[in-house]
PDB file of all heavy atoms in Angstrom:
ATOM      1  N   LEU K   1      -8.077   9.740   1.119  1.00 98.00           N
ATOM      2  CA  LEU K   1      -6.631   9.859   1.318  1.00 98.00           C
ATOM      3  C   LEU K   1      -5.955   8.561   0.897  1.00 98.00           C
ATOM      4  O   LEU K   1      -6.347   7.474   1.339  1.00 98.00           O
ATOM      5  CB  LEU K   1      -6.330  10.161   2.782  1.00 98.00           C
ATOM      6  CG  LEU K   1      -4.863  10.205   3.191  1.00 98.00           C
ATOM      7  CD1 LEU K   1      -4.129  11.338   2.485  1.00 98.00           C
ATOM      8  CD2 LEU K   1      -4.727  10.346   4.700  1.00 98.00           C
ATOM      9  N   ILE K   2      -4.939   8.691   0.045  1.00 98.00           N
ATOM     10  CA  ILE K   2      -4.178   7.537  -0.428  1.00 98.00           C
ATOM     11  C   ILE K   2      -2.718   7.755  -0.045  1.00 98.00           C
ATOM     12  O   ILE K   2      -2.037   8.604  -0.624  1.00 98.00           O
ATOM     13  CB  ILE K   2      -4.332   7.357  -1.944  1.00 98.00           C
ATOM     14  CG1 ILE K   2      -5.813   7.216  -2.315  1.00 98.00           C
ATOM     15  CG2 ILE K   2      -3.541   6.141  -2.426  1.00 98.00           C
ATOM     16  CD1 ILE K   2      -6.090   7.273  -3.791  1.00 98.00           C
ATOM     17  N   ALA K   3      -2.252   7.000   0.935  1.00 98.00           N
ATOM     18  CA  ALA K   3      -0.901   7.173   1.469  1.00 98.00           C
ATOM     19  C   ALA K   3      -0.015   6.016   1.044  1.00 98.00           C
ATOM     20  O   ALA K   3      -0.466   5.046   0.427  1.00 98.00           O
ATOM     21  CB  ALA K   3      -0.962   7.283   2.989  1.00 98.00           C
ATOM     22  N   ALA K   4       1.274   6.125   1.385  1.00 97.00           N
ATOM     23  CA  ALA K   4       2.241   5.092   1.001  1.00 97.00           C
ATOM     24  C   ALA K   4       3.174   4.778   2.159  1.00 97.00           C
ATOM     25  O   ALA K   4       3.550   5.664   2.925  1.00 97.00           O
ATOM     26  CB  ALA K   4       3.054   5.546  -0.206  1.00 97.00           C
ATOM     27  N   SER K   5       3.553   3.495   2.249  1.00 96.00           N
ATOM     28  CA  SER K   5       4.505   3.069   3.275  1.00 96.00           C
ATOM     29  C   SER K   5       5.215   1.808   2.809  1.00 96.00           C
ATOM     30  O   SER K   5       4.580   0.775   2.599  1.00 96.00           O
ATOM     31  CB  SER K   5       3.782   2.792   4.602  1.00 96.00           C
ATOM     32  OG  SER K   5       4.687   2.300   5.570  1.00 96.00           O
ATOM     33  N   GLY K   6       6.532   1.917   2.619  1.00 94.00           N
ATOM     34  CA  GLY K   6       7.328   0.749   2.262  1.00 94.00           C
ATOM     35  C   GLY K   6       7.490   0.551   0.771  1.00 94.00           C
ATOM     36  O   GLY K   6       6.634  -0.036   0.110  1.00 94.00           O
ATOM     37  N   MET K   7       8.620   1.058   0.212  1.00 94.00           N
ATOM     38  CA  MET K   7       8.901   0.849  -1.209  1.00 94.00           C
ATOM     39  C   MET K   7      10.399   0.885  -1.491  1.00 94.00           C
ATOM     40  O   MET K   7      10.823   1.071  -2.620  1.00 94.00           O
ATOM     41  CB  MET K   7       8.195   1.907  -2.066  1.00 94.00           C
ATOM     42  CG  MET K   7       8.807   3.266  -2.028  1.00 94.00           C
ATOM     43  SD  MET K   7       8.159   4.610  -1.036  1.00 94.00           S
ATOM     44  CE  MET K   7       6.735   4.183  -0.241  1.00 94.00           C
ATOM     45  N   ALA K   8      11.205   0.696  -0.464  1.00 93.00           N
ATOM     46  CA  ALA K   8      12.656   0.809  -0.622  1.00 93.00           C
ATOM     47  C   ALA K   8      13.259  -0.440  -1.256  1.00 93.00           C
ATOM     48  O   ALA K   8      12.656  -1.513  -1.268  1.00 93.00           O
ATOM     49  CB  ALA K   8      13.313   1.065   0.738  1.00 93.00           C
ATOM     50  N   GLY K   9      14.465  -0.272  -1.768  1.00 92.00           N
ATOM     51  CA  GLY K   9      15.241  -1.391  -2.279  1.00 92.00           C
ATOM     52  C   GLY K   9      14.757  -1.932  -3.603  1.00 92.00           C
ATOM     53  O   GLY K   9      14.191  -1.221  -4.422  1.00 92.00           O
ATOM     54  N   TYR K  10      14.996  -3.233  -3.795  1.00 92.00           N
ATOM     55  CA  TYR K  10      14.685  -3.890  -5.062  1.00 92.00           C
ATOM     56  C   TYR K  10      14.032  -5.241  -4.794  1.00 92.00           C
ATOM     57  O   TYR K  10      14.276  -6.225  -5.486  1.00 92.00           O
ATOM     58  CB  TYR K  10      15.952  -4.060  -5.906  1.00 92.00           C
ATOM     59  CG  TYR K  10      17.142  -4.588  -5.120  1.00 92.00           C
ATOM     60  CD1 TYR K  10      17.384  -5.958  -5.027  1.00 92.00           C
ATOM     61  CD2 TYR K  10      17.985  -3.714  -4.449  1.00 92.00           C
ATOM     62  CE1 TYR K  10      18.449  -6.439  -4.292  1.00 92.00           C
ATOM     63  CE2 TYR K  10      19.053  -4.189  -3.718  1.00 92.00           C
ATOM     64  CZ  TYR K  10      19.293  -5.557  -3.627  1.00 92.00           C
ATOM     65  OH  TYR K  10      20.343  -6.026  -2.883  1.00 92.00           O
ATOM     66  N   GLY K  11      13.192  -5.292  -3.761  1.00 87.00           N
ATOM     67  CA  GLY K  11      12.518  -6.531  -3.389  1.00 87.00           C
ATOM     68  C   GLY K  11      11.448  -6.939  -4.377  1.00 87.00           C
ATOM     69  O   GLY K  11      11.268  -6.344  -5.435  1.00 87.00           O
ATOM     70  N   LYS K  12      10.694  -7.955  -3.999  1.00 91.00           N
ATOM     71  CA  LYS K  12       9.677  -8.527  -4.887  1.00 91.00           C
ATOM     72  C   LYS K  12       8.603  -7.495  -5.224  1.00 91.00           C
ATOM     73  O   LYS K  12       8.034  -6.862  -4.343  1.00 91.00           O
ATOM     74  CB  LYS K  12       9.058  -9.748  -4.219  1.00 91.00           C
ATOM     75  CG  LYS K  12      10.035 -10.896  -4.044  1.00 91.00           C
ATOM     76  CD  LYS K  12       9.378 -12.088  -3.362  1.00 91.00           C
ATOM     77  CE  LYS K  12      10.385 -13.232  -3.190  1.00 91.00           C
ATOM     78  NZ  LYS K  12       9.770 -14.383  -2.479  1.00 91.00           N
ATOM     79  N   SER K  13       8.303  -7.407  -6.490  1.00 94.00           N
ATOM     80  CA  SER K  13       7.320  -6.427  -6.954  1.00 94.00           C
ATOM     81  C   SER K  13       5.945  -6.662  -6.350  1.00 94.00           C
ATOM     82  O   SER K  13       5.224  -5.715  -6.007  1.00 94.00           O
ATOM     83  CB  SER K  13       7.212  -6.469  -8.486  1.00 94.00           C
ATOM     84  OG  SER K  13       8.439  -6.122  -9.080  1.00 94.00           O
ATOM     85  N   ASN K  14       5.550  -7.930  -6.208  1.00 95.00           N
ATOM     86  CA  ASN K  14       4.199  -8.240  -5.749  1.00 95.00           C
ATOM     87  C   ASN K  14       3.979  -7.969  -4.264  1.00 95.00           C
ATOM     88  O   ASN K  14       2.846  -8.078  -3.779  1.00 95.00           O
ATOM     89  CB  ASN K  14       3.856  -9.697  -6.062  1.00 95.00           C
ATOM     90  CG  ASN K  14       3.678  -9.935  -7.540  1.00 95.00           C
ATOM     91  OD1 ASN K  14       3.483  -9.003  -8.316  1.00 95.00           O
ATOM     92  ND2 ASN K  14       3.763 -11.190  -7.958  1.00 95.00           N
ATOM     93  N   GLU K  15       5.042  -7.606  -3.563  1.00 96.00           N
ATOM     94  CA  GLU K  15       4.867  -7.215  -2.167  1.00 96.00           C
ATOM     95  C   GLU K  15       4.308  -5.801  -2.045  1.00 96.00           C
ATOM     96  O   GLU K  15       3.820  -5.405  -0.989  1.00 96.00           O
ATOM     97  CB  GLU K  15       6.196  -7.325  -1.413  1.00 96.00           C
ATOM     98  CG  GLU K  15       6.640  -8.773  -1.222  1.00 96.00           C
ATOM     99  CD  GLU K  15       7.990  -8.889  -0.531  1.00 96.00           C
ATOM    100  OE1 GLU K  15       8.655  -7.842  -0.349  1.00 96.00           O
ATOM    101  OE2 GLU K  15       8.385 -10.016  -0.195  1.00 96.00           O
ATOM    102  N   ILE K  16       4.403  -5.018  -3.108  1.00 97.00           N
ATOM    103  CA  ILE K  16       3.757  -3.698  -3.139  1.00 97.00           C
ATOM    104  C   ILE K  16       2.271  -3.928  -3.386  1.00 97.00           C
ATOM    105  O   ILE K  16       1.880  -4.461  -4.422  1.00 97.00           O
ATOM    106  CB  ILE K  16       4.341  -2.817  -4.266  1.00 97.00           C
ATOM    107  CG1 ILE K  16       5.846  -2.649  -4.100  1.00 97.00           C
ATOM    108  CG2 ILE K  16       3.635  -1.463  -4.304  1.00 97.00           C
ATOM    109  CD1 ILE K  16       6.265  -1.800  -2.937  1.00 97.00           C
ATOM    110  N   GLN K  17       1.451  -3.561  -2.415  1.00 97.00           N
ATOM    111  CA  GLN K  17       0.014  -3.804  -2.510  1.00 97.00           C
ATOM    112  C   GLN K  17      -0.775  -2.565  -2.095  1.00 97.00           C
ATOM    113  O   GLN K  17      -0.240  -1.636  -1.496  1.00 97.00           O
ATOM    114  CB  GLN K  17      -0.386  -4.986  -1.619  1.00 97.00           C
ATOM    115  CG  GLN K  17       0.222  -6.312  -2.057  1.00 97.00           C
ATOM    116  CD  GLN K  17      -0.320  -7.478  -1.265  1.00 97.00           C
ATOM    117  OE1 GLN K  17      -1.048  -7.311  -0.299  1.00 97.00           O
ATOM    118  NE2 GLN K  17       0.033  -8.682  -1.687  1.00 97.00           N
ATOM    119  N   THR K  18      -2.054  -2.584  -2.439  1.00 97.00           N
ATOM    120  CA  THR K  18      -2.985  -1.526  -2.061  1.00 97.00           C
ATOM    121  C   THR K  18      -3.967  -2.087  -1.037  1.00 97.00           C
ATOM    122  O   THR K  18      -4.605  -3.113  -1.309  1.00 97.00           O
ATOM    123  CB  THR K  18      -3.771  -1.012  -3.287  1.00 97.00           C
ATOM    124  OG1 THR K  18      -2.845  -0.479  -4.237  1.00 97.00           O
ATOM    125  CG2 THR K  18      -4.763   0.066  -2.890  1.00 97.00           C
ATOM    126  N   ARG K  19      -4.064  -1.426   0.096  1.00 97.00           N
ATOM    127  CA  ARG K  19      -4.948  -1.900   1.163  1.00 97.00           C
ATOM    128  C   ARG K  19      -5.928  -0.804   1.567  1.00 97.00           C
ATOM    129  O   ARG K  19      -5.545   0.356   1.697  1.00 97.00           O
ATOM    130  CB  ARG K  19      -4.132  -2.336   2.381  1.00 97.00           C
ATOM    131  CG  ARG K  19      -3.179  -3.499   2.099  1.00 97.00           C
ATOM    132  CD  ARG K  19      -2.236  -3.747   3.267  1.00 97.00           C
ATOM    133  NE  ARG K  19      -1.387  -4.895   3.032  1.00 97.00           N
ATOM    134  CZ  ARG K  19      -0.225  -4.855   2.380  1.00 97.00           C
ATOM    135  NH1 ARG K  19       0.201  -3.699   1.886  1.00 97.00           N
ATOM    136  NH2 ARG K  19       0.500  -5.943   2.198  1.00 97.00           N
ATOM    137  N   LYS K  20      -7.159  -1.200   1.808  1.00 97.00           N
ATOM    138  CA  LYS K  20      -8.184  -0.279   2.290  1.00 97.00           C
ATOM    139  C   LYS K  20      -8.191  -0.333   3.811  1.00 97.00           C
ATOM    140  O   LYS K  20      -8.507  -1.363   4.401  1.00 97.00           O
ATOM    141  CB  LYS K  20      -9.552  -0.664   1.725  1.00 97.00           C
ATOM    142  CG  LYS K  20     -10.649   0.348   2.030  1.00 97.00           C
ATOM    143  CD  LYS K  20     -11.930  -0.042   1.296  1.00 97.00           C
ATOM    144  CE  LYS K  20     -12.997   1.026   1.451  1.00 97.00           C
ATOM    145  NZ  LYS K  20     -14.220   0.677   0.665  1.00 97.00           N
ATOM    146  N   ILE K  21      -7.854   0.796   4.438  1.00 97.00           N
ATOM    147  CA  ILE K  21      -7.754   0.841   5.895  1.00 97.00           C
ATOM    148  C   ILE K  21      -9.088   1.260   6.511  1.00 97.00           C
ATOM    149  O   ILE K  21      -9.553   0.659   7.474  1.00 97.00           O
ATOM    150  CB  ILE K  21      -6.637   1.806   6.330  1.00 97.00           C
ATOM    151  CG1 ILE K  21      -5.321   1.477   5.599  1.00 97.00           C
ATOM    152  CG2 ILE K  21      -6.442   1.750   7.842  1.00 97.00           C
ATOM    153  CD1 ILE K  21      -4.806   0.079   5.809  1.00 97.00           C
ATOM    154  N   THR K  22      -9.689   2.299   5.973  1.00 96.00           N
ATOM    155  CA  THR K  22     -11.015   2.759   6.381  1.00 96.00           C
ATOM    156  C   THR K  22     -11.768   3.128   5.098  1.00 96.00           C
ATOM    157  O   THR K  22     -11.176   3.107   4.010  1.00 96.00           O
ATOM    158  CB  THR K  22     -10.945   3.994   7.308  1.00 96.00           C
ATOM    159  OG1 THR K  22     -10.549   5.141   6.541  1.00 96.00           O
ATOM    160  CG2 THR K  22      -9.960   3.774   8.452  1.00 96.00           C
ATOM    161  N   PRO K  23     -13.062   3.489   5.190  1.00 95.00           N
ATOM    162  CA  PRO K  23     -13.792   3.821   3.952  1.00 95.00           C
ATOM    163  C   PRO K  23     -13.166   4.923   3.107  1.00 95.00           C
ATOM    164  O   PRO K  23     -13.375   4.954   1.888  1.00 95.00           O
ATOM    165  CB  PRO K  23     -15.170   4.245   4.482  1.00 95.00           C
ATOM    166  CG  PRO K  23     -15.342   3.456   5.719  1.00 95.00           C
ATOM    167  CD  PRO K  23     -13.974   3.404   6.343  1.00 95.00           C
ATOM    168  N   HIS K  24     -12.367   5.812   3.718  1.00 96.00           N
ATOM    169  CA  HIS K  24     -11.771   6.910   2.959  1.00 96.00           C
ATOM    170  C   HIS K  24     -10.239   6.945   3.059  1.00 96.00           C
ATOM    171  O   HIS K  24      -9.631   7.955   2.713  1.00 96.00           O
ATOM    172  CB  HIS K  24     -12.335   8.248   3.437  1.00 96.00           C
ATOM    173  CG  HIS K  24     -13.797   8.408   3.173  1.00 96.00           C
ATOM    174  ND1 HIS K  24     -14.301   8.652   1.914  1.00 96.00           N
ATOM    175  CD2 HIS K  24     -14.861   8.335   4.008  1.00 96.00           C
ATOM    176  CE1 HIS K  24     -15.618   8.731   1.984  1.00 96.00           C
ATOM    177  NE2 HIS K  24     -15.985   8.540   3.240  1.00 96.00           N
ATOM    178  N   PHE K  25      -9.630   5.863   3.520  1.00 98.00           N
ATOM    179  CA  PHE K  25      -8.176   5.852   3.717  1.00 98.00           C
ATOM    180  C   PHE K  25      -7.594   4.560   3.165  1.00 98.00           C
ATOM    181  O   PHE K  25      -7.985   3.457   3.568  1.00 98.00           O
ATOM    182  CB  PHE K  25      -7.849   6.005   5.197  1.00 98.00           C
ATOM    183  CG  PHE K  25      -6.382   5.930   5.530  1.00 98.00           C
ATOM    184  CD1 PHE K  25      -5.419   6.464   4.680  1.00 98.00           C
ATOM    185  CD2 PHE K  25      -5.953   5.332   6.711  1.00 98.00           C
ATOM    186  CE1 PHE K  25      -4.067   6.392   4.985  1.00 98.00           C
ATOM    187  CE2 PHE K  25      -4.611   5.271   7.030  1.00 98.00           C
ATOM    188  CZ  PHE K  25      -3.664   5.797   6.173  1.00 98.00           C
ATOM    189  N   TYR K  26      -6.638   4.721   2.236  1.00 98.00           N
ATOM    190  CA  TYR K  26      -5.971   3.584   1.609  1.00 98.00           C
ATOM    191  C   TYR K  26      -4.463   3.706   1.825  1.00 98.00           C
ATOM    192  O   TYR K  26      -3.924   4.816   1.921  1.00 98.00           O
ATOM    193  CB  TYR K  26      -6.250   3.552   0.113  1.00 98.00           C
ATOM    194  CG  TYR K  26      -7.710   3.397  -0.236  1.00 98.00           C
ATOM    195  CD1 TYR K  26      -8.571   4.498  -0.199  1.00 98.00           C
ATOM    196  CD2 TYR K  26      -8.230   2.166  -0.625  1.00 98.00           C
ATOM    197  CE1 TYR K  26      -9.916   4.364  -0.531  1.00 98.00           C
ATOM    198  CE2 TYR K  26      -9.569   2.021  -0.965  1.00 98.00           C
ATOM    199  CZ  TYR K  26     -10.406   3.133  -0.909  1.00 98.00           C
ATOM    200  OH  TYR K  26     -11.733   3.000  -1.228  1.00 98.00           O
TER     201      TYR K  26
END
């Protein structure tokens, strides 16, 4: 499962990141 949280506005691009939460959840 690959979910998303936080992408509003026009903030810094590098603040958008990919994180591994559990072995099957990102």
